[in-house]
């Protein structure tokens, strides 16, 4: 099936007389008639649902769908994108380990890596994703367990050279983890470019309607966990009756370990109703992301010509340093998120946002409705102009998440607000 069709049919196939749409299995637990069967479920000798923190039929259907969309062997939904990022690292690293990450990633991931994981004893080294392979190689250590990057970086909209990152990771015997939130599997499937694990904040385009928090981890099934670097996969887990993940689960060892060990212990699971909403989003994702991308491309090309605009970042612009790379990795479009800077600085940025009539001011991207944020007067308000510059943000920078409204209405709103600046 092509991806548009997969978005509708993967994960749930009603049989004769069953509901056409994915049922919400709103139950925390599941009833059994023999202790013997429950014991087998707990020993992972038999598959079955027993407690919604570990697995639930509605959540499971969404996990199967997302795994199919990304081309993976399995997936696990989490309560938020942050939880997915955290589990993605904790499944393969523990105190005393290290990993390497692109520096062009979501601020929440930066903080999780640099501050919270550090407190847990896991160290990160950030690298400039545009650095040479040998410069990035220099960040690796004997205890390095993974390389991490974002397909389209939030908020800089840089496009990652996934194949370069995969080469470096594999030369070091570690998996490449890609956060594919902005691209979604419709625009880019990182596993097909050599990534081993893909994560998403489903809160963004996959839900797409600003309704439901969520995250997901997809296991590509291609990484060799028995290469000597990952003893947690090849030696008995005493917390699970001595199970050896690489032996018991083969290609799905990573996602099985994430679920039966980490989700069991940390519990940041998706809910059945949350999974139902995410599935609603997935069904129309290809249509929405195509329109988001077309509209953002049109807005970017309109903004570059405006005399009050100093610069625009969007990969399809003729002068974008990512234009060629986007054509390779994102041939169907580059999502709805772009950023631009106003010549008038901080004050102009704030006045522009306050003058918008349709677009909403909010701390979110990837909604069906156009939304904006002015970092210098909100998320980065405490920084001076000099500090903003070192964070790669100009005082007049606006982050725009272009929605699926008619393009004429979006541009009309931007035009009238720019006239007030
Ligand atoms: N990854 C990316 C690229 C994001 O943009 C976000 C949130 O904006 C996250 C992860 C975290 O996801 P959540 O907000 O669902 O926890």
């Amino acid at each position: 099936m092509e991806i548009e069709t997969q978005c509708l049919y993967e994960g749930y196939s009603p049989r004769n007389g069953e509901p056409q749409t994915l049922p919400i299995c709103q139950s925390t637990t599941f009833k059994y008639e023999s202790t013997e069967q429950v014991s087998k479920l707990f020993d992972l000798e038999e598959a079955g649902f027993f407690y919604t923190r570990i697995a639930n039929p509605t959540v499971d259907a969404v996990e199967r769908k997302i795994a199919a969309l990304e081309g993976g062997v399995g997936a696990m939904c989490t309560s938020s994108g942050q939880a997915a990022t955290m589990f993605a690292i904790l499944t393969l690293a523990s105190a005393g380990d290290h990993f390497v990450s692109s520096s062009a990633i979501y601020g929440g991931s930066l903080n999780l890596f640099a501050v919270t994981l550090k407190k847990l004893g896991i160290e990160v080294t950030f690298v400039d994703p545009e650095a040479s392979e040998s410069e990035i190689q220099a960040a690796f250590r004997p205890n390095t367990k993974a390389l991490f990057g974002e397909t389209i970086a939030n908020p800089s909209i840089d496009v990652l050279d996934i194949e370069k990152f995969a080469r470096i990771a594999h030369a070091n015997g570690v998996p490449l983890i890609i956060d594919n939130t902005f691209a979604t599997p419709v625009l880019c499937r990182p596993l097909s470019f050599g990534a081993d694990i893909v994560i998403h904040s489903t809160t963004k385009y996959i839900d797409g309607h600003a309704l439901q928090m969520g995250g997901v981890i997809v296991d590509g099934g291609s990484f060799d966990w028995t290469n000597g670097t990952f003893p947690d996969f090849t030696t008995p887990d005493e917390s699970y009756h001595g199970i050896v993940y690489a032996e018991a689960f083969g290609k799905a060892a990573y996602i099985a370990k994430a679920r039966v060990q980490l989700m069991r212990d940390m519990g940041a699971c998706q809910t059945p109703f949350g999974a139902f909403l995410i599935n609603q989003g997935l069904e129309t994702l290809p249509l929405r992301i195509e329109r988001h991308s077309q509209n953002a491309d049109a807005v970017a090309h309109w903004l570059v010509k405006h005399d009050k605009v100093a610069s625009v970042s969007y990969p399809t612009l003729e002068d974008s340093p990512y234009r060629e790379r986007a054509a390779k990795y994102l041939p169907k479009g580059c999502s709805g998120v772009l950023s631009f800077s106003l010549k008038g600085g901080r004050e102009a940025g704030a006045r522009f946002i306050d003058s918008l009539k349709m677009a909403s001011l909010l701390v979110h991207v990837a909604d069906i409705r156009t939304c904006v944020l002015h970092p210098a007067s909100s998320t980065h308000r405490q920084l001076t102009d000099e500090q903003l510059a070192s964070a790669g943000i100009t005082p007049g920078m606006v982050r725009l998440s272009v929605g699926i409204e008619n393009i004429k209405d979006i541009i009309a709103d931007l035009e009238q607000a720019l006239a007030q600046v």
Side-chain angles (χ1 to χ4, degrees), residues 207-226:
D207 164 39
H209 297 73
L211 288 172
Q212 178 61 46
M213 297 297 298
V216 71
I217 307 176
V218 181
D219 183 351
S222 54
F223 190 77
D224 177 14
W225 300 102
T226 66

Side-chain angles (χ1 to χ4, degrees), residues 80-83 85 106 109 150 152 154 179 181-182 200-204 213-215 365:
S80 68
Q82 282 300 100
T85 314
Y106 169 59
S109 308
E150 276 177 25
I152 304 175
N154 176 9
D179 183 334
T181 296
F182 276 16
H200 288 272
S201 163
T202 60
T203 318
K204 302 290 176 282
M213 297 297 298
V365 290

Side-chain angles (χ1 to χ4, degrees), residues 246-289:
E247 281 171 16
F249 299 101
K251 282 185 175 309
Y254 174 84
I255 205 68
K257 181 172 183 288
R259 183 185 303 279
V260 305
Q261 188 188 59
L262 281 184
M263 188 59 88
R264 176 198 62 183
D265 292 353
M266 295 183 157
C269 60
Q270 184 52 274
T271 63
F273 187 61
F276 170 80
L277 290 174
I278 289 164
N279 187 56
Q280 284 293 107
L282 280 166
E283 290 182 346
T284 57
L285 176 64
L287 287 173
R288 289 185 288 106
I289 200 76

Side-chain angles (χ1 to χ4, degrees), residues 158-217:
D158 302 354
V159 179
L160 185 72
D161 187 346
I162 300 173
E163 286 181 344
K164 175 177 94 172
F165 262 47
R167 261 194 315 276
I168 302 168
H170 297 157
N172 289 280
V174 302
L176 172 62
I177 306 174
I178 291 289
D179 183 334
N180 199 32
T181 296
F182 276 16
T184 81
V186 177
L187 299 180
C188 179
R189 289 162 42 121
L191 297 178
S192 68
F193 293 108
D196 303 285
I197 296 153
V198 171
I199 62 169
H200 288 272
S201 163
T202 60
T203 318
K204 302 290 176 282
Y205 285 114
I206 287 182
D207 164 39
H209 297 73
L211 288 172
Q212 178 61 46
M213 297 297 298
V216 71
I217 307 176

Side-chain angles (χ1 to χ4, degrees), residues 30 50 65 68 76 80 137 145 193-194 201 235 257-258 313 322 327 341 355 367 370 372 385 413 417 421:
F30 301 83
F50 52 94
K65 180 177 283 189
M76 181 178 80
S80 68
Q137 172 62 43
K145 301 290 179 175
F193 293 108
S201 163
T235 53
K257 181 172 183 288
S313 295
Y322 301 105
S341 284
S355 307
D367 186 15
T370 295
V372 283
D385 286 3
D413 194 27
V421 172

